Amino acid sequence: QVQLVESGGGLVQPGGSLRLSCVASGRIFSINRMGWYRQAPGKQRELVAGITSGGSTNYLDSVKGRFTISRDNAKNTVYLGMNGLKSEDTAVYSCNAEIASALRDAISVYWGQGTQVTVSS
């Protein structure tokens, strides 16, 4: 019923920038928290940044000051701006969203397909 579509990943040199986007579509009544996660080879998935419906944010310590999460509620979209990228930022980045499809529905968590971010010279 709900689909998250990501874009913006790719190959970038160290110190470069990327901006990821994730658009939610389908049967959506409301969206609570939205976030970005990443998983590098051989490592567990970790929360990179999260944002509430009211705009409160939280970040992984290692990305504070470099990454910025934002959202456009009218477009059901969450963004992740990434500056000063490092090789250790290389991972598959996935967005997620807590979504209710109707007023009386419980909130469900949905995930995007994941997009590869590779930081290399």
Side-chain angles (χ1 to χ4, degrees):
Q1 294 182 350
V2 175
Q3 184 178 21
L4 303 183
V5 180
E6 304 170 2
S7 62
L11 175 65
V12 65
Q13 294 185 339
S17 300
L18 285 174
R19 189 189 192 220
L20 307 182
S21 300
C22 177
V23 181
S25 62
R27 203 164 85 93
I28 299 172
F29 177 78
S30 63
I31 303 178
N32 189 22
R33 193 193 69 87
M34 304 184 83
W36 289 94
Y37 290 74
R38 69 185 182 187
Q39 186 170 27
K43 298 183 179 180
Q44 292 186 324
R45 184 165 59 186
E46 61 185 352
L47 175 66
V48 178
I51 184 168
T52 69
S53 60
S56 296
T57 60
N58 65 288
Y59 295 91
L60 183 68
D61 285 343
S62 61
V63 308
K64 287 182 178 178
R66 299 189 297 119
F67 291 10
T68 301
I69 188 171
S70 61
R71 63 190 287 170
D72 186 333
N73 291 329
K75 297 180 179 180
N76 293 332
T77 301
V78 62
Y79 305 94
L80 185 67
M82 302 183 291
N83 300 312
L85 284 164
K86 306 173 182 179
S87 61
E88 51 263 45
D89 294 319
T90 296
V92 174
Y93 285 71
S94 302
C95 69
N96 81 338
E98 299 173 346
I99 296 174
S101 292
L103 178 62
R104 296 182 179 181
D105 284 359
I107 294 175
S108 297
V109 178
Y110 295 89
W111 291 88
Q113 76 283 0
T115 184
Q116 178 70 46
V117 172
T118 302
V119 184
S120 177
S121 60

